[in-house]
Amino acid sequence: MTTDEGTKSEGEVQAAALAERGEDITPARDRGVLKVRRMGLPGRVLPCLLHFGVRGHVGGLHPQPLGSRQVIKAWDIGVATMKKGEICYLLCKPEYAYGSAGSAPKIPSNATLFFEVELLDFKGEDLFEDGGIIRRIKRKGEGYSNPNEGATVEIHLEGFCGGTRFDCKDVKFVVGEGEDHDIPIGIDKALEKMQRGEHCILYLGPRYGFGEAGKPKYGIQANAELVYEVTLKSFEKAKESWEMDTKEKLEQAAVVKEKGTMYFKEGKYLQAVIQYGKIVSWLEMEYGLSEKESKASDSFLLAAFLNLAMCYLKLREYAKAVECCDKALGLDQDNEKGLYRRGEARLLMNEFELAKCDFQKVLEVNPQNKAAKSQISVCQKKTKEHNERDRRIYANMFTKFAERDAKEAASKIGVEKAVEKAACEKGPKTPGAE
Amino acid sequence: MAVDELQAIIQRCQILEEADFKGEDFNLFQVAGQKCLEDGYASQLLEVIQNEKNKVIIKNMGWNLISPLVRCIFMYKQEDDKREHCLKILDQLAQLCNPKELFLGLLEQIEQTSGEQVCQTVMLLLQPLQTVLLKLQNKKAYSVGLSLAMIMNQLTPLPVPYTKQQIQEDKLGLCQCCNAVVGFAKPFVNEVVKSMEKSSEYSDMELKEELVKFCMKSLKYPLLTAQLEQLEGIEEHPFRHFATEIIDILWDIKELIPLVFLHHKGKSPHWENQEFADIERKNSADSLACLSYLMFVQHFGIDCFPMVFSPSYLLQCNMTHIEVLLKRTEESMLSKGLDLFESCLLRMEDNSLLHQYLEFRDFINVPQDLVKVMTLCPIEHLRKKSLNILQLFIDKFDAEGKYTLFRCLLKTSNHAGVEGYIIKNIKDQIHLSLTKACDNIWFTGHHLISLLDLVLLLPEGAETDLLQNSDRIMASLNLLRYLVIKDCESDNQTGVWTTLAKIEQNFLKPLHVGLNMSKAHYEAEIKNKKENRRETQSPNTVCSVSVSGEKMPAMTTEMQLQVLHSALFTFDLIESVLARVEELIEVKIKAVMDENS
């Protein structure tokens, strides 16, 4: 990008004017960021850099949530004062921009920056890029940290559906276990992106709301869209995996396993997956265990993988179920449940032969397993059906192919002869044509 | 004779209508044309092709000559007239032939070439291929994409010149070829740019997507593997030039900035198959890492980058890329990763990075990767650089961040040298807290105590291998010595005096025991060796060591003795510092007791 001399000097004039007349918009009142609306200044030329920043790259800039320190402080402060469509100038002292370090190669150390900003549009933030949870922050939170999975949070929430309020309460719970308090999974997920003191509105799609089951307690129908207003009052983070020692991990694993099983029994599979997943994240990569610890760890992991497999079966995510069974069987290759569940998953993925193998292995381990016996006959039946369907399809295809081949052969004969003749004439010189 | 045959078939076809050409005619034409070329009648063939009367024939049948033509061109020497004629024929064919068939013919040639001929063939055929593509009516975007993908696939197996000499020599012509390919893509870029100017809602995204794919591929190969630093004595560094061109293309089609932020949104293409999606993500991870390197380290295209983002956010965005690069073992990629990391850190002021950033997984993973580079990488300058960068990273964090980072690294590094280094850093931080007026709760009082619990101990009690852990033990002793000198028991700012009993139990006592055991063991070993030396000289090696396939010579008894003595020396050193520390503790405690009494 080029900044021609004319632009530059005009920019300087404007900067000087700003320094004189600009309004101090910093909370600290230290004149670190000065603002003037565009009407107040002569000039039409905009320093290109900034113009690009906003107009040229809507793609690059629009998803920047204010107040999360993605942009320099001056922008966090400055843009928050703007209305849609407004154009303004900002003069920013280094403390509110790139400071003494500068930003190579363009911004030298201790540089005061001058921006022209036009706010084209703003909108709610799509938290998971799938349109399932849209957040609009009403009041920005403090600091930077977010509750993680397993953190204990204290929130105030109000839930709306179709304009009527169905829930309003102050509640303290563990992220990932909101269901215990009739809070949908979307709130758990969104909390992981909120900061202390944040007040926001969340628009939840059905997948992140109460889903197909709805919530009779609140009179909410299946697949309803929900709106929540949430304030995160405080939270205490759960320990990260690397902060825990083996003993602690094993103790927690027992607690978490219980919880997972409870959710599973209630049919809350998504929540159960979170709990069992914790065991895996804690113990799967844990090295240097004593023999006793390693035994305990393996038994937790085995249970976790088996239960995860069951959850994924229920959630109809068969590939993931197979993956979990594989891991379980990696720990215990003759595990009856592991084999059986993998068989089930494979059967549902239409991999009949593989499924049959799994069920047969179940019988090798435990000849008394009646369920496996009946599953084998299901496999055989399905294979048969499948084969017959294939046969019908191929039968048609083959006759068609045969007819077409016959036609082509007839028309080709002439051409082939010519090629043969040519090849003979050329002899071995041109292997390419053969 | 060959020319006669050609004339015969030409005359037969001149009277035919286009639709009446038969398969037989095609074959006869090809055979005769090929024979002309092989027998050296290129100029005559050129005349036939240029003849206005034969236009229709050439249009339909000409593409058949591409394969023999390419073969002949490579057969003749550079200055040969016949080669000139052949090149003219190629040019004529590109003008005259049916674009669809000729396109396939050219592509087939590129597909079939391999090894040392790849670059030559590609450079030879780029011009006609471009001419043909510009004439294509249908499926143009697809064909452009196919050509670019085919060319890049053919180039990918070639080694990328890395040293200055290799680049200047450009043995296989890769440098030249890459830049030629960019030139080939230019008109298509312009097409996209023009149509984007016309309407903001660009309807035909296809060509643009193909160009993005090409750029992504180029970023991965050759750019990721290439040496991109400026080299003295090379005015126009071919890969730097290539990189600039690729960045320009991305900028022109308005994809540059979105790509820089792509990973962060975790947008994955819509593959149904998870496996494909993973491969795609992995592939693009390399390309995007290279793109970031080009922008933030080499400053290509940085002018287009809006200067409004906070340095910590830029670091956060780049962490993913840094992680990708540091996980590699090739020098070209490791050094790119380190450079990128360094450049991001240099944008920040010391102590300005909030500890909350450590909650991002990358921020914990990358320093661990860094430790791996500095302990395991065979290339010395990279090891040194990674140590410097680790220090830089530590410096940027606020006190709590440093504290957490130290804890993490102590627990994960598994390397006495690194642990010793971290312990030295802890000492520096304590020093800052004690000497500066500013109150720092993280390196005094109970937070510090819990950190000291990790430092002032022997990992495996008295059985710890003291030699292996000597760096760590020396650093710990130095830290303890510093604490007892600097912090009076009456002040107890650091809290070290409160926890003294524990320190003695976990650290000093087992260290004494360990030292005694180790010294006794090594002394016995020395005695043994000396006696054995007198008795037997026979080589009775228990095991042998080989380094990169070569067997190391067995150690002589003299060498073994030397090693044993140097171990003893280390133990003495540890012992003397230990004695000094205990003496200091005793004196200080006594002084306090005297005061009280």
Side-chain angles (χ1 to χ4, degrees):
Chain A
M1 182 177 339
T2 54
T3 322
D4 56 291
E5 282 306 305
T7 312
K8 209 173 176 183
S9 61
E10 209 158 333
E12 273 165 20
V13 171
Q14 290 173 346
L18 247 173
E20 228 172 78
R21 288 190 283 152
E23 177 198 353
D24 181 5
I25 52 169
T26 56
R29 300 270 153 235
D30 59 3
R31 297 189 68 74
V33 187
L34 301 176
K35 175 184 167 182
V36 165
R37 293 258 189 117
R38 191 182 165 186
M39 348 288 191
L41 285 162
R44 86 214 130 71
V45 186
L46 329 163
C48 318
L49 163 74
L50 324 162
H51 214 56
F52 262 117
V54 194
R55 195 172 280 161
H57 289 297
V58 184
L61 275 182
H62 85 229
Q64 308 311 322
L66 280 180
S68 56
R69 293 182 195 245
Q70 294 192 354
V71 286
I72 51 175
K73 278 188 206 153
W75 269 56
D76 262 350
I77 296 170
V79 179
T81 65
M82 295 175 71
K83 296 193 179 89
K84 191 165 163 178
E86 178 182 331
I87 302 179
C88 78
Y89 298 96
L90 297 174
L91 189 70
C92 321
K93 290 223 176 112
E95 307 87 79
Y96 287 86
Y98 288 101
S100 61
S103 190
K106 273 196 284 185
I107 314 270
S109 175
N110 289 319
T112 297
L113 304 185
F114 171 61
F115 289 100
E116 174 179 305
V117 188
E118 176 180 356
L119 185 59
L120 296 177
D121 197 5
F122 61 92
K123 56 181 165 192
E125 190 188 353
D126 187 353
L127 287 186
F128 292 94
E129 298 283 326
D130 56 1
I133 305 180
I134 305 288
R135 167 171 75 175
R136 287 195 58 173
I137 298 182
K138 281 190 118 178
R139 189 182 64 236
K140 171 188 138 189
E142 305 159 7
Y144 218 128
S145 68
N146 318 105
N148 52 356
E149 219 169 70
T152 312
V153 294
E154 262 194 274
I155 64 169
H156 172 80
L157 67 77
E158 292 179 35
F160 303 86
C161 183
T164 45
R165 193 170 78 174
F166 63 82
D167 194 8
C168 174
K169 63 187 166 204
D170 289 287
V171 57
K172 183 174 179 177
F173 68 101
V174 174
V175 174
E177 297 167 19
E179 184 59 45
D180 296 356
H181 302 270
D182 304 306
I183 296 167
I185 192 86
I187 301 293
D188 292 288
K189 297 267 181 207
L191 277 167
E192 288 181 46
K193 303 226 168 182
M194 288 173 66
Q195 285 139 17
R196 186 171 281 116
E198 179 173 320
H199 177 191
C200 65
I201 303 177
L202 298 165
Y203 302 85
L204 305 185
R207 203 152 65 83
Y208 290 100
F210 291 116
E212 283 173 28
K215 194 87 186 174
K217 185 179 168 189
Y218 295 138
I220 288 171
Q221 310 279 316
N223 296 323
E225 304 210 344
L226 308 175
V227 181
Y228 273 92
E229 212 169 316
V230 181
T231 313
L232 175 56
K233 291 194 286 192
S234 69
F235 67 87
E236 200 169 310
K237 291 180 70 95
K239 276 191 183 176
E240 296 283 346
S241 177
W242 61 267
E243 289 173 298
M244 299 166 70
D245 57 27
T246 311
K247 198 174 144 227
E248 204 174 345
K249 285 182 181 175
L250 289 172
E251 280 167 13
Q252 285 301 311
V255 177
V256 162
K257 191 181 146 196
E258 278 297 305
K259 252 182 214 154
T261 312
M262 186 188 83
Y263 284 128
F264 183 82
K265 281 185 184 150
E266 290 170 16
K268 288 160 187 162
Y269 306 117
L270 275 174
Q271 280 82 356
V273 165
I274 292 178
Q275 300 300 333
Y276 294 132
K278 282 184 195 168
I279 300 184
V280 176
S281 77
W282 290 334
L283 295 175
E284 196 179 16
M285 292 299 168
E286 188 79 351
Y287 296 111
L289 302 178
S290 70
E291 201 176 318
K292 200 176 139 208
E293 285 171 334
S294 136
K295 243 186 197 163
S297 158
D298 281 353
S299 92
F300 276 125
L301 276 175
L302 182 63
F305 285 129
L306 289 173
N307 293 343
L308 276 172
M310 198 65 203
C311 291
Y312 284 127
L313 274 173
K314 297 284 184 192
L315 291 166
R316 293 181 208 147
E317 296 192 43
Y318 304 124
K320 280 191 183 160
V322 171
E323 200 181 306
C324 290
C325 290
D326 284 343
K327 287 197 170 152
L329 293 170
L331 291 166
D332 172 11
Q333 58 170 349
D334 295 324
N335 188 285
E336 194 180 337
K337 281 184 196 164
L339 289 166
Y340 187 86
R341 283 173 197 171
R342 191 168 70 182
E344 268 186 296
R346 284 176 164 169
L347 182 57
L348 290 161
M349 289 163 87
N350 287 344
E351 292 174 353
F352 310 120
E353 279 306 311
L354 287 171
K356 202 169 111 188
C357 286
D358 282 334
F359 291 125
Q360 276 165 345
K361 273 188 218 146
V362 173
L363 284 183
E364 280 170 30
V365 179
N366 175 12
Q368 309 303 321
N369 194 326
K370 281 183 194 150
K373 267 183 208 161
S374 65
Q375 290 283 27
I376 290 180
S377 59
V378 173
C379 286
Q380 279 162 341
K381 206 175 118 208
K382 292 239 176 178
T383 317
K384 220 172 165 190
E385 282 172 17
H386 194 79
N387 282 346
E388 270 181 13
R389 206 170 47 230
D390 281 356
R391 208 172 297 144
R392 275 200 302 279
I393 295 169
Y394 289 129
N396 290 336
M397 237 191 254
F398 284 135
T399 44
K400 270 185 207 155
F401 277 142
E403 281 165 22
R404 208 171 66 191
D405 283 352
K407 256 188 224 162
E408 271 178 22
S411 65
K412 242 186 186 172
I413 289 171
V415 181
E416 265 166 23
K417 270 192 183 154
V419 174
E420 265 168 86
K421 194 176 157 208
C424 292
E425 276 172 16
K426 280 179 287 176
K429 256 198 221 160
T430 53
E434 278 162 49
Chain B
M1 155 101 173
V3 182
D4 296 340
E5 266 177 47
L6 185 67
Q7 288 295 356
I9 167 78
I10 290 284
Q11 271 163 18
R12 199 153 67 82
C13 290
Q14 269 176 352
I15 47 170
L16 289 176
E17 285 294 316
E18 201 170 334
D20 294 337
F21 292 151
K22 291 203 192 77
E24 199 178 346
D25 300 330
F26 282 80
N27 281 304
L28 289 174
F29 175 81
Q30 184 188 1
V31 171
Q34 184 171 343
K35 216 153 178 222
C36 283
L37 283 168
E38 273 157 10
D39 296 351
Y41 299 111
S43 61
Q44 284 86 339
L45 182 62
L46 180 60
E47 267 172 42
V48 170
I49 288 173
Q50 281 171 331
N51 191 336
E52 189 65 22
K53 277 191 213 159
N54 302 333
K55 214 172 156 188
V56 181
I57 303 173
I58 300 303
K59 182 181 165 205
N60 284 286
M61 303 184 184
W63 62 274
N64 274 317
L65 295 176
I66 288 295
S67 162
L69 194 60
V70 170
R71 231 177 300 140
C72 283
I73 291 175
F74 284 125
M75 227 164 54
Y76 296 129
K77 288 210 181 69
Q78 204 70 30
E79 315 80 36
D80 202 323
D81 278 348
K82 285 176 186 156
R83 187 184 146 95
E84 269 312 302
H85 292 136
C86 287
L87 289 174
K88 270 195 191 133
I89 295 175
L90 185 61
D91 190 42
Q92 283 294 316
L93 290 178
Q95 310 288 344
L96 296 171
C97 289
N98 247 340
K100 202 174 136 199
E101 280 94 12
L102 187 63
F103 168 66
L104 293 174
L106 289 169
L107 219 52
E108 194 183 12
Q109 285 310 304
I110 293 177
E111 192 185 8
Q112 281 169 359
T113 168
S114 65
E116 300 194 354
Q117 279 211 327
V118 171
C119 290
Q120 288 177 43
T121 314
V122 169
M123 280 193 282
L124 176 68
L125 298 181
L126 277 177
Q127 188 54 51
L129 192 59
Q130 189 187 54
T131 315
V132 171
L133 282 169
L134 288 170
K135 285 189 347 189
L136 266 188
Q137 301 295 330
N138 299 323
K139 285 196 182 178
K140 185 164 161 188
Y142 169 80
S143 307
V144 171
L146 190 65
S147 312
L148 287 169
M150 177 85 77
I151 292 168
M152 291 317 282
N153 273 345
Q154 288 291 55
L155 294 179
T156 306
L158 301 180
V160 179
Y162 193 74
T163 63
K164 184 178 160 190
Q165 198 196 349
Q166 285 168 344
I167 291 174
Q168 275 174 325
E169 196 183 15
D170 194 15
K171 203 166 147 208
L172 297 175
L174 182 68
C175 300
Q176 216 190 334
C177 188
C178 285
N179 285 308
V181 175
V182 175
F184 165 80
K186 275 278 167 66
F188 307 108
V189 176
N190 291 338
E191 256 175 59
V192 173
V193 171
K194 259 189 208 146
S195 71
M196 277 181 6
E197 276 165 7
K198 260 189 234 152
S199 62
S200 55
E201 293 286 308
Y202 181 55
S203 55
D204 180 21
M205 293 294 287
E206 234 184 304
L207 187 56
K208 186 169 151 176
E209 265 172 35
E210 296 294 349
L211 289 171
V212 172
K213 271 189 219 157
F214 162 66
C215 291
M216 291 289 273
K217 214 165 221 171
S218 309
L219 287 168
K220 191 172 153 74
Y221 176 96
L223 289 176
L224 187 59
T225 347
Q227 155 88 270
L228 292 163
E229 293 293 336
Q230 240 151 20
L231 293 172
E232 249 175 77
I234 299 188
E235 259 179 42
E236 182 93 41
H237 185 316
F239 288 121
R240 285 178 70 88
H241 182 254
F242 182 59
T244 325
E245 297 277 349
I246 293 292
I247 299 262
D248 281 351
I249 293 181
L250 286 172
W251 170 250
D252 287 341
I253 59 177
K254 301 218 161 109
E255 286 292 333
L256 184 62
I257 303 299
L259 275 181
V260 174
F261 289 103
L262 178 69
H263 69 91
H264 212 62
K265 294 199 258 161
K267 223 188 220 167
S268 62
H270 317 284
W271 290 103
E272 282 194 9
N273 189 330
Q274 185 62 34
E275 217 171 303
F276 284 150
D278 284 346
I279 293 171
E280 179 85 16
R281 200 171 312 131
K282 201 172 159 284
N283 271 333
S284 68
D286 284 346
S287 308
L288 293 175
C290 187
L291 181 64
S292 268
Y293 168 82
L294 291 173
M295 270 200 124
F296 295 109
V297 179
Q298 299 296 343
H299 300 155
F300 292 137
I302 193 80
D303 284 343
C304 318
F305 192 77
M307 273 298 156
V308 297
F309 295 100
S310 68
S312 26
Y313 180 64
L314 289 182
L315 175 64
Q316 185 197 336
C317 289
N318 276 319
M319 257 336 196
T320 329
H321 304 317
I322 295 165
E323 195 180 359
V324 167
L325 294 172
L326 290 191
K327 287 244 189 304
R328 307 294 288 257
T329 49
E330 299 92 331
E331 182 183 355
S332 58
M333 299 182 202
L334 273 179
S335 68
K336 284 195 181 69
L338 292 175
D339 286 343
L340 181 57
F341 199 7
E342 189 181 31
S343 98
C344 291
L345 291 173
L346 288 177
R347 284 166 212 275
M348 317 196 63
E349 294 182 17
D350 283 356
N351 309 313
S352 69
L353 193 57
L354 297 174
H355 65 272
Q356 285 93 342
Y357 273 98
L358 284 169
E359 286 154 23
F360 293 108
R361 204 144 288 272
D362 314 333
F363 277 74
I364 281 290
N365 289 346
V366 164
Q368 292 179 36
D369 291 334
L370 207 56
V371 166
K372 275 188 199 122
V373 176
M374 76 181 79
T375 54
L376 300 173
C377 175
I379 305 160
E380 194 192 355
H381 71 97
L382 294 184
R383 284 202 306 270
K384 279 189 180 157
K385 182 154 192 180
S386 56
L387 182 65
N388 291 339
I389 290 177
L390 181 68
Q391 188 62 56
L392 211 52
F393 189 55
I394 293 172
D395 292 343
K396 298 304 168 191
F397 271 106
D398 60 10
E400 189 179 346
K402 289 191 177 95
Y403 179 88
T404 317
L405 192 59
F406 293 155
R407 279 192 89 92
C408 169
L409 288 174
L410 281 176
K411 283 191 171 183
T412 57
S413 69
N414 281 326
H415 186 280
V418 177
E419 285 163 3
Y421 191 79
I422 299 297
I423 293 169
K424 194 187 133 282
N425 257 287
I426 294 175
K427 194 186 117 203
D428 294 345
Q429 288 307 315
I430 298 172
H431 182 68
L432 274 179
S433 303
L434 291 181
T435 47
K436 270 196 189 161
C438 67
D439 179 44
N440 185 345
I441 56 159
W442 289 97
F443 291 96
T444 54
H446 72 276
H447 284 303
L448 177 63
I449 298 285
S450 102
L451 192 58
L452 289 181
D453 280 348
L454 285 178
V455 174
L456 300 177
L457 85 170
L458 288 184
E460 286 153 72
E463 281 95 51
T464 309
D465 184 341
L466 298 184
L467 206 53
Q468 192 85 42
N469 283 287
S470 62
D471 283 348
R472 184 198 154 106
I473 293 168
M474 285 303 283
S476 305
L477 281 172
N478 275 327
L479 170 62
L480 187 56
R481 184 174 60 170
Y482 171 84
L483 286 173
V484 289
I485 292 176
K486 197 79 190 175
D487 197 12
C488 302
E489 195 182 351
S490 49
D491 291 348
N492 197 16
Q493 266 178 292
T494 57
V496 68
W497 296 98
T498 337
T499 181
L500 207 55
K502 199 173 173 190
I503 294 173
E504 276 185 5
Q505 191 60 38
N506 289 344
F507 186 47
L508 302 179
K509 254 191 201 160
L511 188 54
H512 267 298
V513 179
L515 277 170
N516 289 338
M517 287 198 312
S518 304
K519 279 173 78 173
H521 175 78
Y522 276 79
E523 269 160 9
E525 193 72 10
I526 288 175
K527 206 173 146 204
N528 249 337
K529 278 268 145 39
K530 280 183 178 161
E531 277 165 14
N532 279 353
R533 182 167 49 177
R534 265 169 248 138
E535 282 169 18
T536 55
Q537 284 293 343
S538 66
N540 53 340
T541 33
V542 189
C543 63
S544 64
V545 181
S546 54
V547 175
S548 57
E550 269 181 64
K551 206 167 162 192
M552 297 291 281
M555 283 174 90
T556 63
T557 318
E558 284 309 319
M559 285 156 86
Q560 289 176 15
L561 276 172
Q562 220 174 340
V563 171
L564 291 170
H565 276 296
S566 92
L568 271 183
F569 178 72
T570 309
F571 297 142
D572 284 342
L573 200 64
I574 294 178
E575 200 165 33
S576 70
V577 183
L578 175 61
R580 172 78 183 130
V581 169
E582 286 179 326
E583 189 188 345
L584 280 168
I585 293 174
E586 209 171 299
V587 169
K588 284 229 172 176
I589 289 180
K590 211 170 159 218
V592 173
M593 286 203 335
D594 289 349
E595 241 172 65
N596 291 348
S597 59

